[in-house]
Amino acid sequence: MKRILTLALALGLAGLSPAGAQDNASWTRPNRPYRVVGNIYYVGSEGLSAWLITSPEGHVVLDGGPSAEGGKLIERNIQSLGFKLTDVKVLINTHAHFDHAGGLAQLKADTGAKVWASRADKPALEKGQHFGDNANGLTQFPAVKVDKAFGDETKLKMGGTTLVAHLTPGHTVGCTTWTTQVVEKDRPLNVTFPCSLSVAGNVLVGNKTHKTIVADYRASFATMRTLPTDVMLPSHEEQGGLLAKRQKQLRGDADAFIDPAELGRFVNASETAFNKELARQQGAAK
């Protein structure tokens, strides 16, 4: 229980936090890129994840950092690993908040890649402003043209790799959790990139622009619990202790990122934090 409450606290501080979160220095602090498992590489900053999924036919980048400079940071990391920017063919996103979408326009301009997004988050990406009532206000970011809008269970296939989009709304109306399978030293692994489940200022009682927000969160908790996961790779470092895992990996622990129970803990902690915030907002509304 103590472990779940600790994670719940971290989740409450992660996610959007539109006003003030931009002061988080780790979100723009460079981080040396590295291979995680299989054909998946970490190419984000110290505090904000971005993932490179490679294949012989081209690469996919998941999430774009908080700004144009965040996109440039990701590009430098990709190149330092020895990959060409022109080989990035598709850009995907967990959700349309500035900290994960702010660099997509820069990445698209510099790579020529196509942008895929959920139908519900497409308008926010193309407007450059997240949708939904939020106590912190709205935060703008560079708008990006979406080339393909998709629905639930859409598959992105690239050179033998298949990424599956699972719609897990709540944090945003089009929040998307991605899953794939990799092989690490002849061992098949299920990998999940969960969309944020934190409230992060979202109005849960009387949300006029996302009226189904409470039901959406609850459905997303249930959806994530059904996903078989050996490796959980979240969009915020603190949601998965990525820095500590990387240090274990560097010390020779080949299984540093493998934890079949981690996604369950993540969902449980998120649900605990959600229920607490929902009760607070319900009490304040009386």
Side-chain angles (χ1 to χ4, degrees):
M1 177 61 71
K2 182 177 180 181
R3 191 173 190 179
I4 290 177
L5 290 175
T6 300
L7 181 54
L9 178 60
L11 290 168
L13 298 174
L16 174 60
S17 299
Q22 297 173 80
D23 297 330
N24 192 328
S26 71
W27 289 10
T28 57
R29 187 177 297 129
N31 190 73
R32 188 185 297 274
Y34 58 90
R35 191 180 70 84
V36 182
V37 289
N39 60 333
I40 299 173
Y41 297 80
Y42 187 90
V43 292
S45 65
E46 183 180 285
L48 284 178
S49 303
W51 308 96
L52 176 70
I53 301 96
T54 64
S55 85
E57 296 179 9
H59 315 318
V60 177
V61 171
L62 171 56
D63 281 347
S67 62
E69 179 51 39
K72 287 289 190 181
L73 182 151
I74 291 168
E75 291 173 4
R76 291 192 292 270
N77 282 344
I78 291 171
Q79 291 173 313
S80 72
L81 288 168
F83 298 105
K84 297 178 180 178
L85 294 183
T86 52
D87 287 336
V88 176
K89 303 302 182 184
V90 179
L91 303 173
I92 56 178
N93 184 226
T94 50
H95 58 288
H97 281 163
F98 83 93
D99 44 342
H100 308 288
L104 290 176
Q106 187 71 53
L107 284 162
K108 181 175 185 178
D110 293 342
T111 64
K114 303 295 186 182
V115 173
W116 288 34
S118 67
R119 293 191 188 100
D121 266 357
K122 175 185 176 182
L125 291 173
E126 294 193 330
K127 185 176 182 181
Q129 179 178 293
H130 82 268
F131 291 164
D133 299 343
N134 191 286
N136 297 306
L138 301 179
T139 302
Q140 295 182 332
F141 54 87
V144 62
K145 176 75 169 60
V146 174
D147 300 289
K148 180 179 175 63
F150 56 77
D152 196 26
E153 300 299 315
T154 294
K155 294 181 179 180
L156 191 171
K157 297 183 179 181
M158 183 79 68
T161 294
T162 299
L163 288 151
V164 182
H166 308 269
L167 298 187
T168 49
H171 191 71
T172 69
V173 294
C175 223
T176 305
T177 293
W178 293 89
T179 60
T180 191
Q181 292 183 320
V182 301
V183 176
E184 179 68 20
K185 295 182 179 179
D186 298 322
R187 179 182 180 182
L189 296 170
N190 293 305
V191 179
T192 297
F193 304 91
C195 193
S196 291
L197 290 170
S198 62
V199 176
N202 277 335
V203 175
L204 302 178
V205 178
N207 194 310
K208 297 178 181 178
T209 54
H210 188 175
K211 296 181 179 180
T212 59
I213 190 169
V214 170
D216 284 348
Y217 268 107
R218 296 205 185 285
S220 294
F221 297 143
T223 295
M224 281 204 202
R225 288 191 172 105
T226 69
L227 302 177
T229 303
D230 301 301
V231 178
M232 186 190 87
L233 301 178
S235 53
H236 284 264
E237 183 281 326
E238 69 271 19
Q239 291 177 349
L242 299 177
L243 291 174
K245 290 175 182 174
R246 173 56 176 162
Q247 290 304 309
K248 289 175 64 177
Q249 187 185 56
L250 288 170
R251 291 194 296 269
D253 185 350
D255 295 339
F257 287 87
I258 300 174
D259 183 351
E262 185 171 21
L263 183 62
R265 294 195 304 270
F266 172 78
V267 175
N268 290 342
S270 299
E271 189 170 34
T272 296
F274 170 83
N275 286 332
K276 181 178 180 180
E277 176 58 17
L278 177 60
R280 186 195 70 78
Q281 291 190 28
Q282 289 172 332
K286 291 180 180 180

